[in-house]
Amino acid sequence: MKNDKKWTQLWLSYNTRRDAGNGRFFGEVFFDGFDTQDPIIQNAWAELSRGLKGMLGVEPSLNKSGLSGSGFAVRRLTECAAEEFRLSCKDGSLVLEAADGKGVLYGVFHILRQIALERPLDQAQAVCRPDDPLRMLNHWDNMDGSIERGYSGRSFFFEDGEVLVDERTVDYARLAASVGINGVVLNNVNVKDQATWLITDRYFDKAAQIAKIFEGYGIRLFLSLNYAAPMELGGPDSADPLNGEVAAWWKEKFAEVFARIPNLGGFLVKADSEGRPGPFTYGRTQADGANMLADLVKPYGGIIIWRCFVYNCTQDWRDRKTDRARAGYDNFIQTDGDYRDNVILQIKNGPMDFQIREAVSPLLGGMTKTNQMLEVQAAQEYTGQQIDLCYLIPLFKEVLDFKTYCVPGRDTVADVVSGRTFGNKLCGMAAVSNTGNDANWTGNDLAAANFYGFGRLAFTTSLSAEEIAAEWAGMTYSCDKELTAAIVGLLMGSRETYEKYTSPLGIGWMVTPNTHYGPSVDGYEYSRWGTYHRADHLGLGVDRTDSGTGYVRQYHEPNASRYNSVEECPEELLLFFHHLPYTYMLKSGKTLIQHIYDSHFEGVEEVEEMIRTWESLKGRIPEGSYALVRERFERQLHNAREWRDQVNSYFYRKSGINDQKGREIF
Ligand code: GCW
């Protein structure tokens, strides 16, 4: 389909497709029981028309009711759950049923996906209901237009202190809705300067316009709050949650905010973290802090999403007992059960910070009486910054599949965040978004698979990373089997490749401080962030066992004992949990040091192989996309070599042990 915009349409480009017998359904479209003036229904209809025209050259006509013979009918079926849709094919007609507009919208995107993938719809019997109630994107966009940890250009929500509302806002909402996103936090969790003013008259009109556009796509707008806003916006000189004047200030503030943005979903709060103010400043608990806000937004149906990324970021490396990995759990577990029912604790997937490999946070399922939400990072902060290819869905899947043992039976992280474990409704998944105003949205064209995949996975947690990759490749490029297989192969291997040339066996970090791209083995070793690898001339790794920091005890059994035992600990996490000599023998029969050498050489070879695969696709990928990705691969190769050489030299010099294969180590 022709696209005159300065940005691409990603998987919604609706290029011509082979008609797998689908066009015949769409001469006439009937809407039965739905108000065709409702913005969501209008958007669903507009999307359907656009997709059908682009992919199959069909231009359907819209009718209110009365399907007879073959066609496509959208029917209201009150038995459906909220957001659910059912698709069936009866007597030559295709029928989409839902109870609400969101169900219709998701059903339409499902149909368009089948058409794009050239799958016959008459075999498409489906009952689809999202697994996770909340499926959110968190933007770390600042109001000056920069994006914290953004690798795809500038913000398309903010510029020079203003809120942007334009056609791109609509396209963004379409893309997000097409993969089932139903909540978006517009601004960075580090709320400073102008962003503190987002909850004032200065910005209400624009924020309300965005909220309205989003609503038409089933998405609720959320904002990040500055916990110290009362002090910065002319209120009391305190942010103490138990101070009556502070609460009174917030009460009035929320009355104003919800009057101007009535469909606002609520707020995301990063408190007491990395210099951000919070309840700890006043000797209060995190629950005190969250509950004060929650009580005050409750009359408006608002929720408070409270982040658990609270840790001491001014550690002393000589202190071997303080362990950053422990911090989230230590700071929150005592408050389990103390939170209002409209509070959700948002927990990063790992206890450290979005490393290429780390253990799953013990808070997930560690708490059993509090609403929980999983936070992952689609933005590739530590995972290659959208220069290096790193398809993150396998990592997200691993986290979802992790068995927490919090209750007998339904106890995986996927169970917990979908509400299956505790029967709650306020839970789900959030991803730090990887988007920006680059024409291709995500810097690297292939990184769009992480945006797409996150949404699809949050909607249907049982999908495999491979299925998602194949869908994304098919929709974005073409349904050619060979092409899809090649792209799926590239995506599926990319996380392990990245892991191989960066930091080994779950130890993480070793990145250049601040920027977090490229190697600096000791970069964080002597700093105050609590991110150590503890390498010396004998060995490497952080002892988090009973004899070390005791972190392992934050897990339910049998996880705790498993991690505590060097023999039973999953090998990919060995150095996350144990400090081991370089001569330690791995299950592969290699010593630890040899594993480090080998995996780093392999990592680089795998990048070279990826480049060959990409080159074999030349001519079958649109030229612009081909060239852009090819150039990124070149930079990835450079990065991988740099990592290999720095890591290998570092450990060679520390250990004094030769590479058995005698390769070049500097
Ligand atoms: O990983 C760290 C990032 C910060 C980020 C913080 C967080 C938004 O380096 O840039 O701040 O995590 O998650 O709050």
Side-chain angles (χ1 to χ4, degrees), residues 140 148-149 190 270 274 307 309 348 353 381-382:
W140 286 357
E148 181 149 352
R149 312 305 176 185
N190 290 327
K270 170 177 178 176
E274 301 185 334
R307 293 177 89 228
F309 188 56
K348 287 192 183 187
D353 195 10
E381 175 178 358
Y382 298 95

Side-chain angles (χ1 to χ4, degrees), residues 329 362 402-405 544-546 550-566 568-570 577-578:
Y329 189 94
F402 179 73
K403 211 168 153 50
T404 67
Y405 297 98
R544 296 193 160 104
T545 66
D546 289 335
Y551 164 80
V552 290
R553 290 294 150 208
Q554 295 185 339
Y555 291 91
H556 297 289
E557 285 295 0
N559 287 338
S561 300
R562 209 168 131 236
Y563 291 141
N564 195 52
S565 145
V566 69
E568 284 173 50
C569 179
F577 286 105
H578 299 270

Side-chain angles (χ1 to χ4, degrees), residues 417-555:
V417 300
S418 65
R420 289 190 292 267
T421 307
F422 304 119
N424 55 333
K425 291 217 166 62
L426 286 186
C427 46
M429 280 171 84
V432 178
S433 184
N434 62 351
T435 50
N437 75 354
D438 276 3
N440 67 0
W441 300 84
T442 55
N444 187 331
D445 290 23
L446 299 180
N450 288 329
F451 178 4
Y452 179 89
F454 167 74
R456 295 286 291 132
L457 189 61
F459 200 93
T460 307
T461 52
S462 56
L463 284 174
S464 73
E466 199 162 355
E467 279 171 277
I468 294 174
E471 269 186 12
W472 174 79
M475 292 182 76
T476 303
Y477 293 112
S478 84
C479 294
D480 178 276
K481 281 217 174 81
E482 237 182 77
L483 182 71
T484 301
I487 294 175
V488 170
L490 282 171
L491 293 174
M492 288 302 292
S494 60
R495 185 251 186 140
E496 266 177 57
T497 300
Y498 187 82
E499 181 180 30
K500 281 185 178 175
Y501 62 77
T502 57
S503 48
L505 303 177
I507 193 74
W509 306 98
M510 302 190 183
V511 288
T512 308
N514 308 319
T515 67
H516 300 168
Y517 188 77
S520 172
V521 181
D522 273 342
Y524 273 120
E525 192 57 17
Y526 301 98
S527 75
R528 289 142 65 89
W529 295 91
T531 46
Y532 311 116
H533 53 64
R534 303 271 186 217
D536 57 23
H537 67 294
L538 296 173
L540 157 75
V542 182
D543 184 359
R544 296 193 160 104
T545 66
D546 289 335
S547 47
T549 73
Y551 164 80
V552 290
R553 290 294 150 208
Q554 295 185 339
Y555 291 91

Side-chain angles (χ1 to χ4, degrees), residues 141-144 158 161-163 186-188 190-208 223-235 249-250 253 256-257 260-261 264 267 276:
D141 293 26
N142 299 316
M143 296 206 64
D144 63 1
F158 306 114
E162 291 303 326
V163 179
L186 212 60
N187 61 308
N188 188 356
N190 290 327
V191 188
K192 296 182 233 186
D193 311 321
Q194 280 152 317
T196 306
W197 292 79
L198 264 173
I199 50 168
T200 69
D201 201 35
R202 202 185 278 179
Y203 296 111
F204 285 146
D205 286 344
K206 285 286 176 67
L223 296 173
S224 294
L225 272 192
N226 180 346
Y227 203 77
M231 299 159 82
E232 290 180 34
L233 296 178
W249 185 88
W250 278 114
K253 179 46 73 187
E256 197 190 345
V257 173
R260 300 292 294 276
I261 322 173
L264 188 73
F267 301 95
R276 298 287 77 215

Side-chain angles (χ1 to χ4, degrees), residues 294-311:
D295 286 339
L296 299 174
V297 298
K298 186 145 188 166
Y300 312 100
I303 60 174
I304 296 296
I305 305 174
W306 191 267
R307 293 177 89 228
C308 293
F309 188 56
V310 178
Y311 69 100

